[in-house]
Amino acid sequence: MACLGALIGIALTSAISASFVHPHGSVLLIAAPMGAAAVLVFAVPASPLAQPWPVIGGNVLSALVGIVVARLVPVPEFAAAIAVAGAILVMSLTRSLHPPAGAVALTAVVGGPAVLQVGFAFAVVPIALNAIILTACGILFHRFSGHSYPHRAIPVSGKPLIPDEATPHPEDLDKALADLGETLDVSREDLDLLFGRVAYHAVHRRTRSISGDPPGRVA
């Protein structure tokens, strides 16, 4: 399904962008980082990095950072490093972290005359245009794929969670994440739901063991 989604998404993004790009001559039809964005949107739609705001906001903000750095730093080697680092900082501050956007910032610096000559317009066409179309394709595609996009943590239908005292409190989850000191590619809401389901099945497994019922999956 992810392959089909990427096929449709990139094809539509290229085709629709073409009607805007061709009149502008040498402007890029579609930015290469959109290929990586398509992997996130269609293969891992539940990832916080694949949500609409990171895809659109992260790419556009990173493009702007790259353009500014390219104008202020004349040495390409330094400009490339500063652009990517600056993009990460801006995306982190705006909660729009999106890995392919780092390549967008880099493209704004080393993309050659086709990118440099359009200046700040690069952030609009093709970057914003590509990102908006790709995100819209993701939303439409996942209506048929069975995935939630934009993603929402949805409890399992017909399988109520166990009492609150048996599941981790959100504050406990926050403290555990702080203890790890790492950024995980999963939302706190999904972790909370997952741990609740783990506790639910653990309780039923112990109950079956005590009662002597044969092991099996809980319906």
Coordinates of all heavy atoms in Angstrom, one line a residue, residues 13-90:
T13 N 1.9 15.1 -7.3 CA 2.6 16.3 -7.0 C 3.4 16.9 -8.2 O 3.4 18.1 -8.4 CB 3.6 15.9 -5.8 OG1 2.9 15.5 -4.7 CG2 4.5 17.2 -5.4
S14 N 4.0 16.0 -8.9 CA 4.8 16.4 -10.1 C 3.8 17.0 -11.2 O 4.1 18.1 -11.7 CB 5.5 15.2 -10.7 OG 6.4 14.7 -9.8
A15 N 2.7 16.3 -11.4 CA 1.8 16.8 -12.5 C 1.2 18.1 -12.2 O 1.1 19.0 -13.0 CB 0.7 15.7 -12.7
I16 N 0.7 18.3 -10.9 CA 0.1 19.5 -10.5 C 1.1 20.7 -10.5 O 0.8 21.8 -10.9 CB -0.7 19.4 -9.2 CG1 -1.8 18.3 -9.3 CG2 -1.2 20.7 -8.7 CD1 -2.5 18.0 -8.0
S17 N 2.3 20.3 -9.9 CA 3.3 21.4 -9.8 C 3.8 21.8 -11.2 O 4.1 23.0 -11.4 CB 4.5 20.8 -9.1 OG 4.2 20.5 -7.7
A18 N 3.7 20.9 -12.2 CA 4.2 21.3 -13.5 C 3.4 22.5 -14.1 O 4.0 23.3 -14.8 CB 4.0 20.1 -14.4
S19 N 2.1 22.6 -13.8 CA 1.3 23.7 -14.3 C 1.7 25.0 -13.7 O 1.5 26.1 -14.3 CB -0.2 23.4 -14.1 OG -0.4 23.4 -12.7
F20 N 2.3 25.0 -12.5 CA 2.8 26.2 -11.9 C 4.3 26.5 -12.3 O 4.7 27.6 -12.4 CB 2.7 26.1 -10.4 CG 1.3 26.1 -9.9 CD1 0.6 24.9 -9.7 CD2 0.6 27.3 -9.5 CE1 -0.7 24.9 -9.3 CE2 -0.6 27.3 -9.1 CZ -1.3 26.1 -8.9
V21 N 5.1 25.4 -12.4 CA 6.5 25.6 -12.6 C 6.9 25.9 -14.0 O 7.8 26.8 -14.2 CB 7.2 24.3 -12.1 CG1 8.7 24.3 -12.5 CG2 7.1 24.1 -10.6
H22 N 6.3 25.3 -15.0 CA 6.7 25.4 -16.4 C 6.8 26.9 -16.8 O 7.7 27.3 -17.6 CB 5.9 24.6 -17.3 CG 6.2 23.2 -17.3 ND1 5.4 22.2 -17.8 CD2 7.3 22.5 -16.7 CE1 5.9 21.0 -17.6 NE2 7.0 21.1 -16.9
P23 N 5.8 27.7 -16.5 CA 5.9 29.1 -16.9 C 7.1 29.9 -16.3 O 7.4 31.0 -16.8 CB 4.5 29.7 -16.4 CG 3.6 28.6 -16.2 CD 4.5 27.4 -15.8
H24 N 7.7 29.3 -15.3 CA 8.8 30.0 -14.6 C 10.2 29.5 -15.1 O 11.2 29.7 -14.5 CB 8.7 29.9 -13.1 CG 7.5 30.5 -12.5 ND1 6.3 30.0 -12.5 CD2 7.4 31.8 -12.0 CE1 5.4 30.8 -12.0 NE2 6.1 31.9 -11.6
G25 N 10.2 28.8 -16.2 CA 11.4 28.3 -16.9 C 12.2 27.3 -16.1 O 11.8 26.2 -16.0
S26 N 13.3 27.7 -15.5 CA 14.3 26.8 -14.9 C 14.0 26.4 -13.5 O 14.7 25.7 -12.8 CB 15.7 27.4 -14.9 OG 15.8 28.6 -14.2
V27 N 12.8 26.8 -12.9 CA 12.5 26.4 -11.5 C 12.3 24.9 -11.4 O 11.7 24.3 -12.4 CB 11.2 27.2 -11.1 CG1 10.8 26.8 -9.7 CG2 11.4 28.7 -11.1
L28 N 12.7 24.3 -10.3 CA 12.6 22.9 -10.2 C 11.1 22.5 -10.2 O 10.2 23.1 -9.7 CB 13.1 22.5 -8.8 CG 14.7 22.6 -8.6 CD1 15.1 22.3 -7.2 CD2 15.4 21.6 -9.6
L29 N 10.8 21.3 -10.9 CA 9.5 20.8 -11.0 C 9.1 20.2 -9.6 O 8.0 20.5 -9.1 CB 9.4 19.7 -12.0 CG 8.2 18.9 -12.1 CD1 7.0 19.7 -12.6 CD2 8.3 17.7 -13.0
I30 N 9.9 19.4 -9.0 CA 9.7 18.8 -7.7 C 11.0 18.7 -7.0 O 12.0 18.2 -7.6 CB 8.9 17.5 -7.8 CG1 8.6 16.9 -6.4 CG2 9.7 16.5 -8.6 CD1 7.6 15.7 -6.5
A31 N 11.1 19.0 -5.7 CA 12.3 19.0 -5.0 C 12.6 17.5 -4.6 O 11.7 16.8 -4.2 CB 12.2 19.8 -3.7
A32 N 13.8 17.1 -4.7 CA 14.2 15.7 -4.4 C 13.8 15.3 -3.0 O 13.4 14.1 -2.8 CB 15.7 15.5 -4.6
P33 N 13.9 16.1 -1.9 CA 13.5 15.7 -0.6 C 12.1 15.2 -0.5 O 11.7 14.6 0.5 CB 13.8 16.9 0.3 CG 14.8 17.7 -0.5 CD 14.5 17.5 -1.9
M34 N 11.2 15.6 -1.5 CA 9.8 15.1 -1.4 C 9.7 13.6 -1.5 O 8.8 13.0 -1.1 CB 9.0 15.8 -2.5 CG 8.9 17.3 -2.3 SD 8.1 17.7 -0.7 CE 8.9 19.4 -0.4
G35 N 10.8 13.0 -2.1 CA 10.8 11.5 -2.2 C 10.9 10.9 -0.8 O 10.2 10.0 -0.5
A36 N 11.8 11.5 0.0 CA 11.9 11.1 1.4 C 10.6 11.4 2.2 O 10.2 10.6 3.0 CB 13.1 11.7 2.0
A37 N 10.0 12.5 1.9 CA 8.8 12.9 2.6 C 7.7 11.9 2.3 O 6.9 11.6 3.1 CB 8.4 14.3 2.2
A38 N 7.7 11.4 1.0 CA 6.6 10.5 0.6 C 6.8 9.2 1.4 O 5.8 8.5 1.7 CB 6.7 10.2 -0.9
V39 N 8.0 8.8 1.7 CA 8.2 7.5 2.5 C 7.6 7.7 3.8 O 6.9 6.7 4.3 CB 9.8 7.3 2.6 CG1 10.0 6.1 3.6 CG2 10.4 7.0 1.3
L40 N 7.8 8.8 4.5 CA 7.2 9.0 5.8 C 5.6 9.1 5.7 O 4.9 8.4 6.5 CB 7.7 10.3 6.4 CG 9.2 10.3 6.8 CD1 9.6 11.7 7.2 CD2 9.4 9.4 8.0
V41 N 5.1 9.9 4.8 CA 3.7 10.1 4.7 C 2.9 8.8 4.4 O 1.9 8.5 4.9 CB 3.3 11.2 3.6 CG1 1.8 11.2 3.4 CG2 3.8 12.5 4.1
F42 N 3.5 8.0 3.5 CA 2.7 6.8 3.0 C 3.1 5.5 3.7 O 2.3 4.6 3.8 CB 2.9 6.7 1.5 CG 2.3 7.8 0.7 CD1 3.1 8.8 0.2 CD2 0.9 7.9 0.6 CE1 2.5 9.9 -0.5 CE2 0.3 9.0 -0.1 CZ 1.1 10.0 -0.6
A43 N 4.4 5.4 4.2 CA 4.8 4.2 4.8 C 4.7 4.2 6.3 O 4.4 3.2 6.9 CB 6.3 3.9 4.5
V44 N 4.8 5.4 7.0 CA 4.7 5.5 8.4 C 3.8 6.7 8.8 O 4.3 7.6 9.4 CB 6.1 5.5 9.1 CG1 6.8 4.2 9.2 CG2 7.0 6.6 8.4
P45 N 2.6 6.6 8.4 CA 1.7 7.8 8.6 C 1.4 8.1 10.1 O 0.9 9.2 10.4 CB 0.4 7.4 7.9 CG 0.4 5.9 7.9 CD 1.9 5.5 7.7
A46 N 1.7 7.2 11.0 CA 1.5 7.5 12.4 C 2.7 8.2 13.0 O 2.5 8.7 14.1 CB 1.3 6.2 13.2
S47 N 3.8 8.3 12.3 CA 5.0 9.0 12.9 C 4.7 10.5 13.1 O 4.1 11.2 12.2 CB 6.1 8.8 11.9 OG 7.2 9.7 12.3
P48 N 5.1 11.1 14.2 CA 5.0 12.5 14.4 C 5.7 13.3 13.3 O 5.4 14.4 13.0 CB 5.6 12.7 15.8 CG 5.5 11.4 16.5 CD 5.6 10.4 15.4
L49 N 6.8 12.7 12.7 CA 7.6 13.4 11.7 C 6.8 13.4 10.4 O 7.3 14.2 9.5 CB 8.9 12.6 11.5 CG 9.7 12.4 12.8 CD1 11.0 11.6 12.5 CD2 10.1 13.7 13.4
A50 N 5.7 12.7 10.2 CA 5.0 12.6 9.0 C 3.7 13.4 8.9 O 3.0 13.3 7.9 CB 4.8 11.1 8.6
Q51 N 3.4 14.1 10.0 CA 2.1 14.8 10.1 C 2.1 16.0 9.2 O 3.2 16.5 8.9 CB 1.8 15.1 11.5 CG 1.7 13.9 12.4 CD 0.9 12.7 11.8 OE1 -0.3 12.9 11.6 NE2 1.5 11.6 11.6
P52 N 1.0 16.5 8.9 CA 0.9 17.7 7.9 C 1.7 18.9 8.3 O 2.4 19.5 7.5 CB -0.6 18.0 7.9 CG -1.3 16.7 8.2 CD -0.4 16.0 9.2
W53 N 1.7 19.3 9.6 CA 2.5 20.5 10.0 C 4.0 20.2 9.8 O 4.7 21.1 9.2 CB 2.2 20.9 11.4 CG 3.1 21.9 11.9 CD1 3.9 21.8 13.1 CD2 3.4 23.2 11.4 NE1 4.7 23.0 13.2 CE2 4.4 23.8 12.2 CE3 3.0 23.9 10.2 CZ2 4.9 25.1 11.9 CZ3 3.5 25.2 10.0 CH2 4.5 25.8 10.8
P54 N 4.6 19.1 10.2 CA 6.0 18.9 9.9 C 6.3 18.8 8.4 O 7.3 19.4 8.0 CB 6.3 17.6 10.6 CG 5.3 17.5 11.8 CD 4.1 18.1 11.2
V55 N 5.4 18.2 7.7 CA 5.7 18.1 6.2 C 5.7 19.4 5.6 O 6.6 19.8 4.8 CB 4.7 17.1 5.5 CG1 4.9 17.1 4.0 CG2 4.8 15.7 6.1
I56 N 4.7 20.2 5.8 CA 4.5 21.5 5.2 C 5.4 22.6 5.9 O 6.3 23.2 5.3 CB 3.1 22.0 5.2 CG1 2.2 21.0 4.3 CG2 3.0 23.4 4.5 CD1 0.7 21.3 4.4
G57 N 5.2 22.7 7.2 CA 5.9 23.8 7.9 C 7.4 23.5 8.0 O 8.2 24.4 7.8
G58 N 7.8 22.2 8.2 CA 9.2 21.9 8.3 C 9.9 22.2 7.0 O 11.0 22.7 7.0
N59 N 9.3 21.8 5.9 CA 10.0 22.0 4.6 C 10.1 23.5 4.3 O 11.1 24.0 3.8 CB 9.2 21.3 3.5 CG 9.5 19.8 3.4 OD1 10.7 19.4 3.4 ND2 8.5 19.0 3.4
V60 N 9.0 24.3 4.5 CA 9.0 25.7 4.1 C 10.0 26.5 5.0 O 10.8 27.3 4.5 CB 7.6 26.3 4.2 CG1 7.6 27.8 4.0 CG2 6.7 25.6 3.2
L61 N 9.9 26.2 6.3 CA 10.8 26.9 7.2 C 12.3 26.6 6.9 O 13.2 27.5 7.0 CB 10.5 26.5 8.7 CG 9.2 27.1 9.2 CD1 8.8 26.5 10.6 CD2 9.2 28.6 9.3
S62 N 12.6 25.3 6.6 CA 13.9 24.9 6.3 C 14.4 25.6 5.0 O 15.6 26.0 4.9 CB 14.0 23.4 6.2 OG 13.8 22.8 7.4
A63 N 13.5 25.7 4.0 CA 13.9 26.4 2.8 C 14.2 27.8 3.1 O 15.2 28.3 2.5 CB 12.7 26.3 1.8
L64 N 13.5 28.5 3.9 CA 13.7 29.9 4.2 C 15.1 30.0 5.0 O 15.9 30.9 4.7 CB 12.6 30.4 5.1 CG 11.2 30.6 4.4 CD1 10.2 31.0 5.4 CD2 11.3 31.7 3.3
V65 N 15.3 29.1 5.9 CA 16.6 29.1 6.6 C 17.8 29.0 5.6 O 18.8 29.7 5.6 CB 16.7 28.0 7.7 CG1 18.1 27.9 8.2 CG2 15.7 28.3 8.8
G66 N 17.6 28.0 4.7 CA 18.7 27.8 3.7 C 18.9 29.0 2.8 O 20.1 29.3 2.5
I67 N 17.9 29.6 2.4 CA 18.0 30.8 1.5 C 18.7 31.9 2.2 O 19.6 32.6 1.7 CB 16.6 31.2 1.1 CG1 16.0 30.2 0.2 CG2 16.7 32.6 0.3 CD1 14.5 30.4 0.0
V68 N 18.3 32.2 3.5 CA 19.0 33.2 4.3 C 20.5 32.9 4.5 O 21.3 33.8 4.3 CB 18.3 33.4 5.6 CG1 19.1 34.3 6.5 CG2 16.9 34.0 5.4
V69 N 20.8 31.7 4.8 CA 22.2 31.3 5.0 C 23.0 31.5 3.7 O 24.1 32.0 3.7 CB 22.3 29.9 5.6 CG1 23.7 29.4 5.6 CG2 21.7 29.8 7.0
A70 N 22.4 31.0 2.6 CA 23.1 31.1 1.3 C 23.4 32.6 1.0 O 24.5 32.8 0.3 CB 22.2 30.5 0.2
R71 N 22.6 33.5 1.4 CA 22.8 34.9 1.1 C 23.8 35.5 2.1 O 24.5 36.5 1.7 CB 21.5 35.7 1.2 CG 20.6 35.4 0.0 CD 19.2 36.0 0.2 NE 18.4 35.8 -1.0 CZ 18.1 36.8 -1.8 NH1 18.4 38.1 -1.6 NH2 17.3 36.5 -2.9
L72 N 23.9 35.0 3.3 CA 24.8 35.6 4.3 C 26.1 35.0 4.4 O 27.1 35.7 4.8 CB 24.1 35.6 5.7 CG 22.8 36.4 5.8 CD1 22.2 36.2 7.2 CD2 23.0 37.9 5.5
V73 N 26.3 33.7 4.0 CA 27.5 33.0 4.2 C 28.1 32.7 2.8 O 27.5 31.9 2.1 CB 27.3 31.7 5.0 CG1 28.7 31.0 5.2 CG2 26.7 32.0 6.3
P74 N 29.2 33.3 2.4 CA 29.7 33.2 1.0 C 30.4 31.9 0.8 O 30.6 31.5 -0.4 CB 30.6 34.4 0.9 CG 31.1 34.7 2.2 CD 29.9 34.3 3.1
V75 N 30.8 31.2 1.8 CA 31.6 29.9 1.6 C 30.6 28.8 1.7 O 30.0 28.5 2.7 CB 32.7 29.8 2.7 CG1 33.5 28.5 2.5 CG2 33.6 31.0 2.8
P76 N 30.4 28.1 0.5 CA 29.4 27.0 0.4 C 29.6 25.9 1.5 O 28.6 25.4 2.0 CB 29.6 26.4 -1.0 CG 30.3 27.5 -1.7 CD 31.1 28.3 -0.8
E77 N 30.9 25.5 1.8 CA 31.1 24.5 2.8 C 30.5 24.8 4.2 O 29.9 24.0 4.8 CB 32.6 24.1 2.9 CG 33.2 23.5 1.7 CD 33.6 24.6 0.7 OE1 33.3 25.8 0.8 OE2 34.3 24.2 -0.3
F78 N 30.7 26.1 4.6 CA 30.2 26.5 5.8 C 28.7 26.8 5.8 O 28.0 26.5 6.7 CB 30.9 27.8 6.3 CG 32.4 27.6 6.6 CD1 33.3 28.7 6.4 CD2 32.9 26.4 7.1 CE1 34.6 28.5 6.7 CE2 34.2 26.2 7.3 CZ 35.1 27.3 7.1
A79 N 28.3 27.3 4.7 CA 26.9 27.6 4.5 C 26.0 26.4 4.6 O 24.9 26.3 5.2 CB 26.6 28.3 3.2
A80 N 26.5 25.3 4.0 CA 25.7 24.0 4.0 C 25.5 23.5 5.4 O 24.4 23.1 5.8 CB 26.5 23.0 3.1
A81 N 26.6 23.5 6.2 CA 26.5 23.1 7.5 C 25.6 23.9 8.4 O 24.8 23.4 9.2 CB 27.9 23.0 8.2
I82 N 25.8 25.2 8.2 CA 25.0 26.2 9.0 C 23.5 26.1 8.6 O 22.6 26.1 9.5 CB 25.5 27.6 8.8 CG1 26.9 27.8 9.4 CG2 24.5 28.6 9.5 CD1 27.6 29.1 9.0
A83 N 23.2 25.9 7.4 CA 21.8 25.8 6.9 C 21.1 24.6 7.5 O 20.0 24.7 8.0 CB 21.8 25.7 5.4
V84 N 21.8 23.4 7.5 CA 21.1 22.2 8.1 C 21.0 22.4 9.6 O 19.9 22.0 10.1 CB 22.0 21.0 7.7 CG1 21.4 19.7 8.4 CG2 22.0 20.7 6.2
A85 N 22.0 22.9 10.2 CA 21.9 23.0 11.7 C 20.8 24.0 12.1 O 20.1 23.8 13.0 CB 23.3 23.5 12.3
G86 N 20.8 25.1 11.3 CA 19.8 26.1 11.6 C 18.4 25.6 11.3 O 17.4 25.9 12.0
A87 N 18.2 24.8 10.3 CA 16.9 24.2 10.0 C 16.4 23.3 11.1 O 15.3 23.3 11.5 CB 17.0 23.4 8.7
I88 N 17.4 22.5 11.7 CA 17.0 21.6 12.8 C 16.6 22.5 14.0 O 15.6 22.1 14.7 CB 18.2 20.7 13.2 CG1 18.5 19.7 12.1 CG2 17.9 20.0 14.5 CD1 19.7 18.9 12.3
L89 N 17.3 23.6 14.3 CA 16.9 24.4 15.4 C 15.5 25.0 15.2 O 14.7 25.0 16.1 CB 18.0 25.5 15.5 CG 17.7 26.6 16.6 CD1 17.6 26.0 18.0 CD2 18.7 27.7 16.5
V90 N 15.3 25.6 14.0 CA 14.0 26.2 13.8 C 12.9 25.2 13.8 O 11.8 25.5 14.4 CB 14.0 26.9 12.4 CG1 12.6 27.4 12.0 CG2 14.9 28.1 12.4

